[in-house]
Amino acid sequence: MNASIAQQAPPAPLDINWVRAQFPSLKLAVNGHSAAFLDAPAGTQVPQRVIAAFREYFETSNANTVGQFLTSRRTDEMIVAARSAMADLFNCTSDEVFFGPNMTTLTFALARGIGRDLKPGDEIVVTTLDHDGNVAPWRALEDIGVVLRQVDIREADCTLDMDDLRCKITPRTKLVAAGYASNAVGTINPVAEIVRLAHEAGALAFIDAVHYAPHGLIDVRALDCDFLACSPYKFFGPHMGCIYGKRDLLLRFRPYKVRPAPAYLPDRWETGTQVHEGLAGVTAAIDYLADLGRHADPAAEDRRAALVIAYRVIRQHEMVLAARMIAGLLKIPGVRFYGISDAARFDERCPTVAVRVRDLTPLDCARFLGDRGIFTWDGNYYALNLTERLGVEKTGGLLRIGLVHYNTAEEVDRLLTAMRELASPA
Ligand SMILES: Cc1ncc(COP(=O)(O)O)c(C=O)c1O
């Protein structure tokens, strides 16, 4: 977490009734229980305005781009608006943001483009804590002789081993690929420090902010990262992916693209026709977050300022819930907790936790909870390096419980009651 944001109190507490009223799907029921969506790390629910944006796009603007007629012009304007919204979320300019179907596909495309300028023996640093979407695209460059070096974790608290990171960066390192936050155990990495270390060695820094984006404000200028990826479907938007890149780098590296497609930014990195309705939804999701900020502080001057406030409000709400959940889980005999559990260090985590329960498989646990209307995940969630390193991959991975700002204390208490039942010997 960016320390200055974590430390500043929000102007007003999160208005949970206002928030929940925005999300129609939160009213779902399962077997007579209202649904508790604790599955956000795999994708969040969307506010009504995102649904409305899809519908409005199809009803009023559906066309391909740069045509000389109404719907095409509206599509062009809608794309400009989506880039501008995303630029406000990242704190960059609109031409430094490109979209695509998801983070993984975009990262493969970017890595392949960067790989055209690499030679055998060049090194890329990846980590044990990362989702494979920030590992496999770089590992694919082994085909051209690039050497991958993988940074280990400290097993006791599932944090990155920064000493190991310093060792793994060498004069041959061309790029360091690290996550902002772990989608499995919730650790927030010291990304500014990672970027600094990469730059000191003359390497580029690629940050995967997919898991961080619903929880914390992103500021690519302050971070000085070279690339940063995230996926709108993890922050209350549609199933899409997005990457920020510094302008000079996006122009210097050469994407694989069709010849008639534009060579200018950001279009040169957007292969083929975009998911236009999804882009309309991205703007709506970011405007929702900005309105959450304005709801707490109507004086917010512009969208970026409103987003800054929104994330303060979100962070405070989430971490009160996380503290309640973690304290409750730690008290349950038979629950093994992975990751940071010391409340004094919660600035280093987001409200995503991973546990094992007695000798049960995470699949059995997730099913037990799912039958009671509590949605969680089991397995590795593609953080395969981590589940292998922790020795849980062969026995079903981990049970992941992920909170976001639309969750409530009542849902946390329901989870804890169900977990106590699950963990009690038969
Ligand atoms: C941390 C992290 N990185 C990358 C990804 C991949 O994102 P996408 O589904 O957009 O390819 C995910 C998805 O769960 C993730 O949690």
Side-chain angles (χ1 to χ4, degrees):
M1 187 77 188
N2 179 328
S4 62
I5 297 156
Q7 280 152 19
Q8 282 177 38
L14 180 127
D15 179 349
I16 191 70
N17 293 330
W18 181 88
V19 165
R20 289 183 70 86
Q22 313 287 317
F23 290 84
S25 58
L26 297 183
K27 295 190 186 74
L28 273 177
V30 185
N31 301 337
H33 308 277
S34 50
F37 288 90
L38 309 185
D39 62 332
T44 49
Q45 300 306 301
V46 299
Q48 178 62 45
R49 70 180 79 191
V50 171
I51 302 166
F54 268 63
R55 187 185 174 114
E56 192 189 332
Y57 177 75
F58 282 127
E59 283 180 357
T60 67
S61 315
N62 189 14
N64 217 319
T65 54
V66 297
Q68 300 310 312
F69 51 91
L70 181 74
T71 48
S72 183
R73 288 197 183 112
R74 282 183 175 162
T75 293
D76 292 338
E77 283 163 17
M78 184 280 299
I79 292 173
V80 168
R83 288 173 178 166
S84 159
M86 207 61 223
D88 281 349
L89 193 79
F90 284 161
N91 195 25
C92 65
T93 56
S94 294
D95 59 350
E96 292 175 308
V97 168
F98 61 97
F99 288 99
N102 51 61
M103 174 275 185
T104 305
T105 305
L106 289 179
T107 306
F108 267 108
L110 181 70
R112 207 161 159 244
I114 291 176
R116 294 171 105 171
D117 288 5
L118 297 180
K119 49 185 191 322
D122 284 344
E123 294 178 1
I124 291 183
V125 173
V126 296
T127 90
T128 299
L129 202 51
D130 270 76
H131 184 286
D132 219 47
N134 197 23
V135 178
W138 309 112
R139 196 170 285 292
L141 298 178
E142 287 176 334
D143 291 353
I144 56 165
V146 168
V147 176
L148 247 73
R149 293 165 69 86
Q150 187 171 317
V151 178
D152 200 6
I153 55 157
R154 284 183 290 239
E155 196 178 336
D157 59 4
C158 296
T159 55
L160 264 192
D161 182 339
M162 291 299 284
D163 291 334
D164 193 39
L165 182 109
R166 283 184 197 91
C167 294
K168 294 281 159 62
I169 296 178
T170 77
R172 286 188 298 277
T173 306
K174 296 296 176 213
L175 185 137
V176 177
Y180 208 138
S182 158
N183 70 316
V185 288
T187 314
I188 297 175
N189 292 324
V191 273
E193 172 71 356
I194 294 170
V195 172
R196 197 184 61 73
L197 290 169
H199 287 174
E200 236 173 52
L204 300 172
F206 178 99
I207 304 299
D208 172 2
V210 172
H211 189 67
Y212 185 75
H215 305 295
L217 183 76
I218 293 169
D219 186 337
V220 294
R221 290 275 179 267
L223 274 184
D224 194 31
C225 55
D226 300 289
F227 303 100
L228 181 141
C230 69
S231 307
Y233 76 94
K234 310 279 191 180
F235 60 86
F236 321 106
H239 290 96
M240 306 268 303
C242 177
I243 289 187
Y244 154 82
K246 283 182 179 161
R247 186 183 293 110
D248 59 324
L249 297 174
L250 292 180
L251 285 169
R252 192 209 309 163
F253 291 116
R254 293 164 297 142
Y256 286 87
K257 61 185 272 300
V258 292
R259 287 171 301 160
Y264 50 76
L265 290 182
D267 306 55
R268 72 197 241 115
W269 289 96
E270 292 182 337
T271 318
T273 304
Q274 294 292 298
V275 184
H276 295 159
E277 61 280 15
L279 290 173
V282 168
T283 307
I286 294 171
D287 280 339
Y288 157 73
L289 285 169
D291 274 357
L292 173 60
R294 288 191 195 97
H295 191 72
D297 183 0
E301 272 173 13
D302 55 22
R303 185 162 53 193
R304 176 71 187 172
L307 289 167
V308 171
I309 290 161
Y311 277 107
R312 274 194 223 143
V313 173
I314 285 172
R315 175 73 181 168
Q316 191 197 46
H317 176 80
E318 284 184 353
M319 293 316 288
V320 168
L321 293 189
R324 186 183 185 107
M325 175 170 72
I326 294 170
L329 288 171
L330 293 176
K331 280 195 204 120
I332 303 176
V335 168
R336 171 152 184 209
F337 190 90
Y338 292 80
I340 296 170
S341 59
D342 174 2
R345 292 182 55 207
F346 280 0
D347 271 5
E348 295 172 64
R349 69 147 43 258
C350 49
T352 302
V353 303
V355 294
R356 296 271 310 206
V357 183
R358 290 197 288 119
D359 54 351
L360 300 173
T361 65
L363 176 70
D364 286 338
C365 299
R367 191 175 288 140
F368 177 91
L369 296 168
D371 289 346
R372 285 155 183 77
I374 301 170
F375 301 173
T376 60
W377 279 100
D378 67 283
N380 60 35
Y381 351 103
Y382 289 16
L384 181 62
N385 284 341
L386 181 65
T387 51
E388 285 180 343
R389 172 68 173 79
L390 294 173
V392 294
E393 178 58 24
K394 291 203 173 86
T395 54
L398 297 165
L399 176 74
R400 178 179 68 184
I401 308 155
L403 305 175
V404 283
H405 72 279
Y406 54 60
N407 291 124
T408 65
E410 189 257 327
E411 289 174 331
V412 168
D413 291 348
R414 263 179 67 200
L415 167 84
L416 292 173
T417 304
M419 290 294 283
R420 278 191 284 270
E421 194 186 331
L422 182 64
S424 64

